[in-house]
Amino acid sequence: MPALALAPALALTLIVAIPPSAPAAAHTLSVTSPSLIFQRGQGAVEFGSSAASVSWTITDEQGTRVRGGTSWLSGGKATIPVADLAPGYFELALHAGAAPDPTDLRTSFAVIEPVPDSTVGPSSPFGAAVHVGRAGWGPNVLDEARKTGIAHIREDAWWNRFETTKGSYTFPAEFSSTMAHARELGITPMVIANGANSLYDNGRTPSSPEGIAAFGKFAAAVLKRYDLSNVEVLNEYNAGTFNNSACGRTAACYLEVLKGVHQAVKAADPGATVVGPATIGIANCTPADGSKCFAPDLIDRGGLKSMEAYSVHPYHFPGGPEWLGSTGDTIAGLRQRIRAANGGQDKPIILSEMGWPTDTGHGTTERQQADNLIRLYATGLANGVTRVYWYDLVNDGSDPTSTEQNFGMLRQPVTPTTANPVSVTANAPKPAAVAQAVVARMLGGKTYAGDDAVAAPAHSVRFTGGGTTRVVWATTARDLTVSATGPVTLVDSWGRRSVRQPTDGRLVLEAGPSPVFIEGPVTGVGAATP
């Protein structure tokens, strides 16, 4: 099945700059579409230039030419229809002018099948971290997120921006606007009660009884003002980046803040969900010296009583997500520990940050990032995760060497300069945005129903709800046998469908790192037999 065979792990880096020594371009060139994520059967890429005509080429995710041509501009504007394209990820190259001073622009766009409205709701597992107000936050970012099936966003509410006078709160306009727009789109925000305040504890992370009490009141005030019901208490308290508490970084110190917020929030809204501890890593380890890591210490101190959901940030790049299902310092291990301390009952586990950066130093290509996104959902949901906030929605910058600037599933807009007069208005998608739309459409509304009996490095995970959908992949390429009583529908990670007819009740699937969704009268998936 060549269409679903493993594609090369291509680095899909888009370069729009020109060398500093090059002469200034003679023409401007801009992609002005407000969105570059198109639903199948709709839309056109809008662009403009000071040139009379612009040549262009569209290529797919493997760099294969899909189509090309020359467009003559009217009033400096033209369009390229994309309504007839199949689902997938595409790159568009535009060329204006001639040597020695041409203008070239490259950007990306996606064509996706619509994600049903029914899959975007409070029970959805699909979320993303956002950074409202940072550079590159375009006007339609939340709309793009909604298109790809994002149902939840996670955003910081920095304490010192809301309480500038003791006991009195102001509510930043941009934050308020984002909360309102999320509500309009049906997206559920989880705010992080975060940071410190110079009015308390000498500007340190809350640690004194007065500071903790004030911090709890602030969290409750934010939820009340925006009619929200989800709050996460601080961020990565067990590390030094965001925590300068006078108390320290221990679970005992965190528990006092957690209890203070829980008490204040639940007094204001008994139905609110308090989430913690948002640790960097899972921290479910057992040191050789017999001491306790953060997770067992917090749980043994009764921390589960002061939270409705347990959150972690289990970054593990550049490796894939499959380790989450192992024992020990893993999601599966954390789930076991929670059950043991909670009368055998689960407590929701949230990955409030998780992702893979595509910077040049970490060896994760954009294609691999997209593959890991789908595999993360399959592995996480199979091990008790109820929600994932992909880190993050938009690249935080445009430096290809910076780790922090390359976690996004959307790119930064491109701003023109004198030396390089090109621009892209929208937040163009990376392959991960396509993967997000595909996994939301294929698994939205479904629940984990078990694994098939395949051995690592292969995986086959079943989800049910209106039929059974399997997610199948192999970290190292493997042939698998799919047993079925009739035609089987395969959907690749780009959203493309194909139908396979089994022979004598079987067909061979070439499984690789890019997951494939399988639907139809499948009775099992196993190792390929001669």
Side-chain angles (χ1 to χ4, degrees):
M1 37 175 285
L4 292 173
L6 173 64
L10 300 177
L12 303 172
T13 302
L14 301 181
I15 302 174
V16 298
I18 58 175
S21 58
H27 296 288
T28 61
L29 195 53
S30 60
V31 173
T32 56
S33 298
S35 170
L36 288 169
I37 299 178
F38 302 97
Q39 292 186 345
R40 188 178 188 182
Q42 299 178 5
V45 176
E46 303 168 7
F47 69 94
S49 178
S50 59
S53 65
V54 171
S55 60
W56 53 269
T57 304
I58 294 174
T59 54
D60 65 13
E61 78 282 352
Q62 296 196 62
T64 302
R65 187 179 187 275
V66 175
R67 64 180 55 160
T70 298
S71 296
W72 290 88
L73 283 74
S74 175
K77 299 178 181 179
T79 61
I80 302 171
V82 298
D84 62 326
L85 290 178
Y89 170 87
F90 302 93
E91 292 189 2
L92 171 65
L94 300 172
H95 176 84
D101 52 359
T103 305
D104 290 286
L105 185 156
R106 294 178 64 86
T107 190
S108 59
F109 69 93
V111 177
I112 62 173
E113 298 279 8
V115 177
D117 290 341
S118 59
T119 68
V120 180
S123 63
S124 167
F126 306 114
V130 300
H131 294 143
V132 176
R134 288 197 188 181
W137 183 267
N140 299 315
V141 171
L142 288 186
D143 302 82
E144 302 294 71
R146 174 62 180 78
K147 281 184 187 178
T148 65
I150 295 295
H152 303 268
I153 57 171
R154 174 181 184 256
E155 172 64 314
D156 293 288
W158 295 103
W159 186 12
N160 62 346
R161 298 178 186 175
F162 289 79
E163 185 177 357
T164 55
T165 302
K166 274 194 175 184
S168 179
Y169 306 104
T170 59
F171 299 94
E174 192 165 29
F175 188 95
S176 299
S177 175
T178 298
M179 295 299 108
H181 191 39
R183 179 183 295 276
E184 292 170 356
L185 294 170
I187 294 173
T188 302
M190 179 174 74
V191 296
I192 314 165
N194 207 0
N197 195 312
S198 61
L199 300 173
Y200 305 93
D201 293 330
N202 296 316
R204 290 177 173 266
T205 304
S207 53
S208 69
E210 180 193 17
I212 291 171
F215 187 67
K217 291 177 182 178
F218 146 70
V222 171
L223 294 189
K224 181 179 179 181
R225 169 63 178 80
Y226 298 110
D227 192 23
L228 303 176
S229 59
N230 296 276
V231 62
E232 191 172 33
V233 182
L234 296 173
N235 183 65
E236 300 180 359
Y237 190 93
N238 62 325
T241 303
F242 301 99
N243 176 20
N244 64 353
S245 168
C247 180
R249 305 177 191 172
T250 66
C253 294
Y254 179 78
L255 182 57
E256 293 307 308
V257 185
L258 178 66
K259 290 192 296 186
V261 173
H262 193 267
Q263 180 179 359
V265 166
K266 299 297 272 190
D269 179 6
T273 295
V274 176
V275 180
T279 51
I280 184 69
I282 299 173
N284 186 38
C285 46
T286 304
D289 62 7
S291 61
K292 293 181 180 180
C293 288
F294 195 96
D297 195 12
L298 180 64
I299 291 171
D300 289 349
R301 290 175 181 274
L304 296 178
K305 297 177 183 178
S306 295
M307 64 177 81
E308 280 66 54
Y310 197 107
S311 63
V312 292
H313 301 170
Y315 291 108
H316 197 66
F317 52 83
E322 291 74 22
W323 69 278
L324 293 172
S326 303
T327 58
D329 192 15
T330 65
I331 290 297
L334 177 63
R335 188 184 191 188
Q336 291 174 349
R337 187 177 296 279
I338 289 173
R339 283 177 167 175
N342 197 39
Q345 300 297 310
D346 280 321
K347 187 172 283 283
I349 296 175
I350 295 173
L351 309 188
S352 58
E353 285 186 26
M354 184 64 170
W356 281 260
T358 58
D359 60 289
T360 54
H362 278 95
T364 300
T365 67
E366 292 186 356
R367 174 66 184 268
Q368 290 168 335
Q369 182 193 51
D371 292 343
N372 284 338
L373 184 149
I374 297 174
R375 287 156 50 184
L376 171 64
Y377 275 108
T379 303
L381 294 174
N383 286 281
V385 171
T386 58
R387 195 182 312 153
V388 174
Y389 291 87
W390 180 262
Y391 190 87
D392 51 4
L393 183 58
V394 179
N395 275 356
D396 286 329
S398 54
D399 178 358
T401 68
S402 168
T403 299
E404 182 59 33
Q405 293 184 23
N406 288 278
F407 278 96
M409 65 175 69
L410 300 173
R411 308 182 196 281
Q412 292 255 318
V414 177
T415 303
T417 65
T418 300
N420 195 24
V422 302
S423 63
V424 180
T425 300
N427 292 91
K430 292 162 71 173
V434 178
Q436 171 60 53
V438 173
V439 74
R441 188 166 53 82
M442 298 304 298
L443 298 186
K446 295 181 181 290
T447 56
Y448 171 67
D451 293 358
D452 290 308
V454 296
H459 302 265
S460 178
V461 188
R462 299 192 309 274
F463 295 87
T464 58
T468 298
T469 299
R470 284 171 166 81
V471 188
V472 179
W473 74 96
T475 54
T476 302
R478 288 290 186 276
D479 285 348
L480 300 176
T481 296
V482 178
S483 301
T485 59
V488 173
T489 298
L490 306 176
V491 180
D492 69 11
S493 58
W494 308 107
R496 296 181 294 238
R497 290 179 174 267
S498 62
V499 177
R500 294 280 302 278
Q501 180 68 49
T503 301
D504 297 328
R506 299 190 309 171
L507 60 88
V508 176
L509 176 72
E510 300 170 16
S514 296
V516 176
F517 300 87
I518 305 178
E519 294 183 327
V522 176
T523 58
V525 177
T529 56

